[in-house]
Amino acid sequence: MYPSRFRYEAPATIEEVIDLLHDGGGEAKVLAGGQSLIPLMKLRFAAPELVVDINRLAGLDYHRVDPDGSIHVGALCRHADLERSVLLSSKQPTMAEAAPLIADPIVRTRGTLVGSLCHADPQGDWAAVVTALGGYVVAQGRDGRRTIPVDEFVSGPFQNVLAYDEIVVEAVIPPPTGTVAGGYLKLERRVGDFATAGSAVALELSGDVVLRAGIALTGVGASTINATNSAAVLTGRALTSEVIGEAADLAAVAAQPKSDHRGSAEYKRHLVRTFVERILTRVTETQQRAA
Amino acid sequence: MTQALDEIKIGGMGASRRRVEDNRFIRGRGNYIDDIVLPGMLHMEILRSPMAHARIRSIDTSKAWDIPGVRLVLTGEMMAARNLAWMPTLSYDTQAVLATDKVRFQGQEVACVIADDPYIAKDGCDAIVVDYEPLPVIVNPTQALATDAPVIRDDKVNQHDNVAFDWEVGDKEGTDRAFEQAHLVSKIKLHYPRSHPSPLECCGSIADFDRATSKLTVYMTSQAPHIVRAAVAMVAELPEHMIRIVSPDLGGGFGNKVPIYPGYVMSILASILTERPVKWIEDRSGNLISTGFGRDVYLDGELALREDGKILAVRMKTTSDHGAFFADAQPSKFKIGLMHSAFACYDIPYAHLSARGVYTTKAPGGVAYRCSFRVTEAMFFQERMVQAAADDLGMDQAEFRRINFVRDDDFPHRTPYGFLTDSGQYAKCLDVGLEAIGYAEFLKEKEEARKRGRLLGIGISTMTEPLGAGNSREYDILGIKMFDSAELRVHMTGKAILRTGAMNQGQGHQTTWAQIVAHELGLPADDITVEEGDTDTAPFGMGTYASRSTPVAGAAVSMVSRKVKAKARKLAAHLLEVSEEDIEWELGRFYVRSARDRGVSIQECAMAAYSNMPDGLEPGLEANAYYDPPNLTWPFGCYIATVEVDPVTGVWDVLRVVAVDDCGVRINPMIVEGQIMGGLTEAYAMANMQFITFDAEGNCVGSNFMDYLIPSAWETPGYELHEVVTPCPHHPIGAKGVGECATVGGPAAFVNAVIDALKGTGVRNIDMPLLPDRVYEALTQKHDVSGAPPVRTDN
């Protein structure tokens, strides 16, 4: 468990970070929480020549809700901050349910949401959650900032569309137009295990009617799966058991799981279906109680 | 005037005294192998085979030698030149230290690099080029025994197949006859998957050969340092008195640190060649893929049953997968450990066991992972067979056990396979357990829940197991008889040091041994230092595993204390100016029988041993004692679990766990309870989530803690502990082993509970681990799920 030799830099400004990444010419990696990068380096699966530690950057550890209702998560906001967030628990149920399910308490203390998105592990929970919420990232490079929808951000397993000298400074969830509802369920064999399968559901409702729906799946494909067909059947309709069943079935169809030691492809599809159904049913139960 | 002491106050028997060890452990002041730094120390890293079975065409180490800071590169060829390429295993087989001809499992040691720091050593490993010629891979006994299977052990003369051994025990004819008379024969096929002890601290060593004195000191992670000293003396042909093995604090062992691993041997040779200390610290993957695993046994089990439920005979056929080398750590008489201790708590007239061991291209080991040599498999198979038989008969599972138990008045009792048990109250333990769980109420609740589509289940596992090998007549390892010893030296101020040949690795010997001395001598436990693990100072012992320390070394502690007391009595007589016959003992003091207020404390006797001894009495107050136990100890455990299975996902949650342990007299109840809770957690892990498996290419799945799962506080169930006390009739203080009972008996309770929840679906068995997808498959397909979890390779 000894990494290859590497150069380590810990600059104090974002501009220096970007310059270092630029000079690194594609052989540099950004270190935020390090919960994926460091194990990969210790196993020598990754051997970057340069590690740029961004933990000295000031002002990136925030998460906040803007007046318009959009949620902003800075590049150094830890999972644990989101887990304990009062803001999320009142404003964003899908994120609030996912946060305590990220890995284990030790990982949550150091790991970051933005780092998780950038790492683009198909089994990463946040990618599914942010995809379901229609979120985007803000990337900064030498030419300034640009926004990239998370749906387009991940280009494959462990791959994203960032240029080698770009860094994501924050992730953003757009403002909702209705009442938010939803949730995140996953099966893990043990706390801290990668998900056997997971389903993120994000809804915006007006009364009984779904204004917007997002459904995304964890661990059942080469990258996070945006189950757009499944979400589409919900839009403009009330959550009857028929509608829920239809959405759950389509989510299972969207999944592209592979059989492995966590379970068969068939089982994982079944889980995806079950989780979507359970989250949506729970939403209707909450509605009924409110009524 | 001195007075008899309150035993609990001085930390004697029965005191839940806080663990002395924890003072340093919780402050981060333990002294583990990696904490030791010697001047001029070099670091060793091992290059392991990525292939499971391949001929080595060539190894090119030239680029490694070129790296600045690399001091030595060892290959099999260099080991062979010193006759060290192969070493004996603990089961009379041989094992490669560094591969010469071919590699036989993924992770096998191929070369090692010794360098100024571990980073450079690792760079050196990466620079070695090995040319492999792949050979067919064999990952299970079926493949191994196929007629066209390649011979894995072609290094062995006269080995023409992949059979490691055939072994049998029991009365075959009597068993066959009994089966002919059976009302019903209950059959079941089971697999106990490969698991791994996974101590938190992996293995490691620091070899320090001093050319000036010719002394070899090896700091290493060994549960049995004296056996290592003997083995090094014999294998490396070094004089035994010039070898010092030191086991420092061990971060767990669970059987994993009993064998001698190639890394230790390489570090020793490297130190001899470089004349510098050489440190080897194994990483997690190295530990998981190359060191001693547990289990990996298949069973064909049959019970011959009478109509009223009485078991007439048992027939067991096991096929065990030992990997590339037969390296089980076990008493040499018994090829499949103490598998034949199965059914010891049941009164069964006939039994037969046939065992076949096979070689595969998987890591060797077969260590006793927290069990007394394959007892875990024996008791798991037993309790799964018992439940299946009860179900086949349509009998209540508690009642079925009760009518087959050995009765309390039937001891000593000859077990079905010939062991002699000596004590127990089996039915009482079961009753305590059933009462605690609320058996009758739960059965009703289960019935009601069924009507609403909820699946509840209850599983029982009851067993007595043989702990504390020897006696020396029957138990030896490589010919060395299994006994233990202790040495007690009482200083003049009444403080003492106790040394034993056992080796603590979490059991709390420092705490418990002092309590035994306190019990015997009345010295406060806090006044006694306990030392183990340094072969230059500790008396000989066979080490700590198989729950043998309290039964054997603990007994030696009692006996040595009694020897010291006998001498102290002479000193007391001298001080009190009476004859020895006129002296009585109560805890902590001798007194004159006719005048109870005339007495001297044990501390006063100690002072007299150095300052005022009678003429003709040897000065000092110390003794040593060797203890060869007359029999094993036979603790009993009753474990009951209730579960709820989610019929949609197959996920099962534990509702309650009740454990009733009868381990005889408890020395430190808190430590005993800790052992039981730890054991139950390992049992839960194996039943629920743990396995090591191999894909068709022989790649190990389970080579890190992301794949090989250790349950955390989040999923570990709560435990309700109860006790029954039947003192061991032959142990000096009535204690029995306990460290492994719950690991041994626990798994069947969880599995039986899940199978019970599925009753009526046609599912009779799901092999461990009962992962949700396997339970789901059983539920939806309505069939048994057998064998190791597959590494599926669709699309």
Side-chain angles (χ1 to χ4, degrees):
Chain A
M1 296 294 276
Y2 297 98
S4 303
R5 183 170 288 275
F6 62 92
R7 179 178 152 215
Y8 171 85
E9 297 285 351
T13 68
I14 192 93
E15 290 73 23
E16 286 173 87
V17 170
I18 291 163
D19 285 345
L20 282 163
L21 292 176
H22 184 80
D23 295 345
E27 297 301 324
K29 289 295 269 183
V30 172
L31 173 73
Q35 296 306 293
S36 298
L37 179 62
I38 289 175
L40 287 173
M41 288 174 65
K42 288 175 82 170
L43 290 163
R44 296 199 174 191
F45 293 156
E49 287 172 10
L50 170 65
V51 170
V52 183
D53 183 344
I54 62 168
N55 285 283
R56 285 182 62 211
L57 299 186
L60 283 179
D61 58 353
Y62 60 87
H63 73 282
R64 62 166 197 270
V65 180
D66 277 0
D68 67 353
S70 60
I71 298 172
H72 300 253
V73 180
L76 287 174
C77 174
R78 315 284 164 178
H79 306 305
D81 299 333
L82 301 172
E83 180 188 4
R84 295 175 199 134
S85 167
V86 182
L87 273 179
L88 285 190
S89 59
S90 61
K91 304 276 185 195
Q92 210 342 282
T94 309
M95 288 180 79
E97 187 167 16
L101 298 182
I102 307 297
D104 59 37
I106 301 165
V107 171
R108 290 201 293 274
T109 302
R110 289 201 65 87
T112 64
L113 179 144
V114 168
S116 170
L117 295 180
C118 291
H119 183 54
D121 187 329
Q123 286 174 305
D125 300 295
W126 281 129
V129 170
V130 178
T131 300
L133 286 163
Y136 58 89
V137 299
V138 177
Q140 185 170 341
R142 302 190 115 194
D143 304 326
R145 293 188 167 193
R146 62 173 176 142
T147 62
I148 311 164
V150 166
D151 193 21
E152 296 164 22
F153 178 67
V154 176
S155 53
F158 306 101
Q159 288 172 327
N160 62 45
V161 301
L162 286 180
Y164 70 89
D165 56 359
E166 266 184 317
I167 177 173
V168 174
V169 290
E170 70 170 7
V172 184
I173 310 300
T177 51
T179 313
V180 291
Y184 184 67
L185 290 177
K186 71 169 174 177
L187 178 71
E188 50 186 1
R189 297 173 301 171
R190 189 209 65 180
V191 164
D193 185 24
F194 287 116
T196 301
S199 303
V201 177
L203 302 176
E204 291 164 31
L205 298 154
S206 172
D208 287 350
V209 179
V210 176
L211 299 177
R212 182 199 168 276
I215 294 177
L217 313 175
T218 309
V220 287
S223 55
T224 303
I225 288 179
N226 191 353
T228 48
N229 290 344
S230 169
V233 300
L234 298 174
T235 313
R237 298 166 78 180
L239 295 174
T240 62
S241 58
E242 291 73 29
V243 170
I244 289 173
E246 213 179 315
D249 286 343
L250 286 169
V253 169
Q256 299 159 13
K258 276 188 194 285
S259 295
D260 60 17
H261 56 284
R262 288 189 173 80
S264 67
E266 184 221 341
Y267 179 65
K268 292 179 183 180
R269 257 184 227 287
H270 170 71
L271 285 179
V272 162
R273 193 198 179 286
T274 303
F275 292 153
V276 170
E277 186 176 41
R278 284 184 177 178
I279 296 167
L280 291 172
T281 305
R282 205 174 55 190
V283 171
T284 62
E285 285 164 1
T286 311
Q287 285 173 335
Q288 280 157 14
R289 271 201 304 276
Chain B
M1 188 185 99
T2 54
Q3 297 213 329
L5 300 162
D6 178 337
E7 177 151 4
I8 299 297
K9 278 194 184 145
I10 64 163
M13 290 277 289
S16 282
R17 181 176 178 236
R18 283 191 187 177
R19 290 175 17 123
V20 177
E21 299 80 346
D22 292 346
N23 271 330
R24 60 180 194 279
F25 292 155
I26 63 173
R27 288 176 168 82
R29 300 298 294 270
N31 185 39
Y32 298 96
I33 190 76
D34 207 14
D35 294 322
I36 299 171
V37 175
L38 300 180
M41 190 170 75
L42 298 173
H43 298 264
M44 184 179 101
E45 286 285 312
I46 296 174
L47 177 69
R48 298 179 181 280
S49 168
M51 322 273 291
H53 196 198
R55 196 159 298 287
I56 297 175
R57 287 205 196 96
S58 65
I59 303 179
D60 180 358
T61 60
S62 56
K63 288 202 170 59
W65 282 104
D66 288 345
I67 296 172
V70 169
R71 303 290 167 179
L72 180 67
V73 184
L74 284 178
T75 62
E77 204 178 324
M78 295 163 73
M79 300 297 282
R82 291 161 181 85
N83 205 21
L84 285 173
W86 292 83
M87 63 179 179
T89 70
L90 295 175
S91 280
Y92 291 98
D93 194 2
T94 49
Q95 171 173 4
V97 177
L98 280 176
T100 48
D101 50 345
K102 59 180 191 177
V103 290
R104 292 175 172 83
F105 67 93
Q106 185 186 56
Q108 186 177 342
E109 299 80 359
V110 173
C112 71
V113 177
I114 292 90
D116 290 349
D117 69 43
Y119 296 85
I120 298 171
K122 180 73 180 146
D123 290 343
C125 287
D126 286 354
I128 296 172
V129 182
V130 185
D131 185 9
Y132 294 104
E133 175 192 332
L135 296 169
V137 165
I138 291 173
V139 294
N140 59 50
T142 308
Q143 290 174 349
L145 297 172
T147 47
D148 59 345
V151 178
I152 299 165
R153 294 302 303 278
D154 50 356
D155 58 294
K156 293 174 78 176
V157 186
N158 298 328
Q159 179 81 41
H160 305 298
D161 55 25
N162 293 317
V163 176
F165 65 82
D166 280 304
W167 190 77
E168 65 176 321
V169 65
D171 178 351
K172 187 169 188 309
E173 281 174 26
T175 304
D176 289 347
R177 274 198 313 276
F179 267 87
E180 282 163 22
Q181 290 155 13
H183 159 71
L184 181 77
V185 174
S186 174
K187 301 182 182 187
I188 194 163
K189 287 177 190 289
L190 299 166
H191 177 235
Y192 206 130
R194 184 173 274 235
S195 60
H196 198 280
S198 295
L200 270 191
E201 176 199 43
C202 301
C203 297
S205 55
I206 303 168
D208 183 13
F209 180 69
D210 185 334
R211 178 69 66 196
T213 60
S214 295
K215 181 127 185 175
L216 172 69
T217 304
V218 188
Y219 303 87
M220 64 186 284
T221 48
S222 176
Q223 295 175 229
H226 283 92
I227 302 184
V228 175
R229 184 180 65 185
V232 171
M234 292 176 209
V235 174
E237 293 177 354
L238 294 168
E240 194 172 355
H241 69 298
M242 286 302 193
I243 303 165
R244 177 182 170 214
I245 307 295
V246 184
S247 275
D249 285 331
L250 295 186
F254 308 105
N256 184 244
K257 291 170 180 170
V258 173
I260 297 173
Y261 293 119
Y264 301 145
V265 180
M266 288 183 265
S267 69
I268 291 170
L269 180 62
S271 179
I272 291 171
L273 293 177
T274 61
E275 297 188 19
R276 286 169 68 172
V278 173
K279 179 187 256 188
W280 165 60
I281 299 294
E282 183 178 64
D283 62 23
R284 178 60 58 192
S285 291
N287 184 256
L288 280 166
I289 66 176
S290 77
T291 65
F293 68 92
R295 335 301 185 215
D296 213 348
V297 185
Y298 296 80
L299 170 85
D300 274 297
E302 294 178 296
L303 286 178
L305 302 164
R306 214 163 63 187
E307 198 165 2
D308 61 359
K310 192 84 186 64
I311 304 172
L312 300 174
V314 54
R315 194 186 272 146
M316 296 168 77
K317 189 176 158 219
T318 62
T319 309
S320 45
D321 179 339
H322 298 264
F325 310 108
F326 180 29
D328 289 27
Q330 62 190 357
S332 57
K333 265 193 184 177
F334 310 110
K335 292 293 179 200
I336 188 70
L338 305 186
M339 184 71 80
H340 56 307
S341 62
F343 293 93
C345 69
Y346 298 111
D347 184 15
I348 304 173
Y350 296 103
H352 184 258
L353 162 71
S354 58
R356 167 164 277 198
V358 302
Y359 292 116
T360 56
T361 54
K362 291 154 70 175
V367 295
Y369 165 22
R370 203 167 186 173
C371 84
S372 192
F373 316 114
R374 303 271 182 196
V375 165
T376 314
E377 292 96 305
M379 298 311 158
F380 176 75
F381 291 157
Q382 165 196 307
E383 286 305 291
R384 291 287 300 120
M385 287 169 73
V386 162
Q387 191 199 29
D391 287 351
D392 290 351
L393 282 165
M395 268 184 83
D396 175 78
Q397 52 174 321
E399 189 54 26
F400 180 68
R401 286 179 170 83
R402 196 191 313 277
I403 64 166
N404 282 293
F405 275 152
V406 175
R407 294 191 323 271
D408 299 357
D409 58 1
D410 196 12
F411 292 106
H413 183 85
R414 190 60 68 179
T415 77
Y417 289 107
F419 290 89
L420 199 66
T421 53
D422 50 31
S423 59
Q425 303 177 70
Y426 305 158
K428 182 178 174 186
C429 287
L430 177 61
D431 287 341
V432 170
L434 294 176
E435 170 77 24
I437 202 88
Y439 187 59
E441 299 78 29
F442 186 83
L443 293 184
K444 274 189 221 129
E445 191 187 335
K446 186 177 107 173
E447 214 53 43
E448 286 304 310
R450 252 309 160 95
K451 291 176 193 156
R452 297 192 306 276
R454 288 173 60 206
L455 301 176
L456 303 187
I458 183 163
I460 301 175
S461 175
T462 51
M463 56 100 223
T464 186
E465 57 159 331
L467 300 181
N471 58 76
S472 67
R473 293 184 312 283
E474 288 189 287
Y475 299 93
D476 68 84
I477 287 182
L478 296 179
I480 308 169
K481 303 287 190 184
M482 298 186 77
F483 51 79
D484 263 302
S485 71
E487 189 181 279
L488 179 62
R489 184 177 303 165
V490 183
H491 312 312
M492 67 183 79
T493 59
K495 316 294 178 188
I497 182 164
L498 174 88
R499 293 186 172 109
T500 85
M503 181 58 219
N504 180 59
Q505 67 223 238
Q507 292 85 350
H509 291 177
Q510 270 193 291
T511 309
T512 305
W513 294 166
Q515 291 185 244
I516 297 176
V517 177
H519 169 70
E520 296 286 354
L521 286 181
L523 290 176
D526 287 344
D527 289 353
I528 300 151
T529 295
V530 175
E531 262 188 22
E532 293 175 344
D534 183 338
T535 57
D536 266 9
T537 55
F540 183 84
M542 290 299 277
T544 293
Y545 41 87
S547 290
R548 61 186 302 283
S549 289
T550 290
V552 191
V557 173
S558 266
M559 300 316 272
V560 78
S561 301
R562 291 175 191 183
K563 279 190 178 177
V564 165
K565 193 163 88 183
K567 184 166 184 188
R569 179 184 288 271
K570 294 183 195 302
L571 291 157
H574 169 67
L575 292 175
L576 293 166
E577 298 176 326
V578 293
S579 76
E580 252 190 87
E581 295 75 52
D582 295 329
I583 287 205
E584 291 287 333
W585 167 260
E586 60 188 356
L587 191 64
R589 76 187 281 261
F590 294 100
Y591 63 89
V592 180
R593 185 176 301 120
S594 55
R596 192 166 186 141
D597 59 340
R598 272 190 65 208
V600 288
S601 69
I602 185 75
Q603 288 85 355
E604 287 167 314
C605 295
M607 181 56 84
Y610 297 86
S611 63
N612 178 18
M613 54 280 192
D615 288 345
L617 187 69
E618 195 181 344
L621 188 57
E622 62 182 80
N624 67 347
Y626 277 76
Y627 188 79
D628 184 1
N631 191 9
L632 298 148
T633 67
W634 293 88
F636 185 83
C638 167
Y639 307 100
I640 305 180
T642 55
V643 301
E644 173 157 13
V645 178
D646 180 337
V648 180
T649 61
V651 171
W652 54 279
D653 289 318
V654 177
L655 303 174
R656 287 176 66 198
V657 180
V658 163
V660 186
D661 281 277
D662 180 355
C663 56
V665 177
R666 296 183 177 200
I667 303 162
N668 182 320
M670 180 191 70
I671 288 181
V672 170
E673 285 169 11
Q675 290 274 29
I676 293 166
M677 288 192 258
L680 286 169
T681 304
E682 288 184 320
Y684 170 72
M686 289 183 284
N688 185 282
M689 63 180 76
Q690 241 166 28
F691 64 96
I692 286 182
T693 191
F694 296 81
D695 69 12
E697 282 78 50
N699 295 307
C700 175
V701 177
S703 64
N704 55 62
F705 278 170
M706 285 310 297
D707 288 329
Y708 190 74
L709 304 178
I710 308 290
S712 71
W714 292 89
E715 44 276 314
T716 300
Y719 306 121
E720 303 164 39
L721 307 187
H722 300 264
E723 69 174 319
V724 168
V725 179
T726 313
C728 176
H730 61 76
H731 188 278
I733 50 173
K736 303 179 181 184
V738 70
E740 301 162 335
C741 295
T743 321
V744 170
F750 294 110
V751 177
N752 284 348
V754 174
I755 300 300
D756 183 57
L758 269 48
K759 209 188 248 181
T761 59
V763 177
R764 236 168 132 254
N765 183 48
I766 304 171
D767 275 337
M768 293 195 292
L770 277 68
L771 293 164
D773 70 307
R774 287 157 75 82
V775 178
Y776 171 77
E777 181 184 334
L779 264 171
T780 50
Q781 307 296 315
K782 308 206 181 305
H783 62 206
D784 290 1
V785 178
S786 305
V791 185
R792 298 183 180 88
T793 48
D794 64 353
N795 45 40

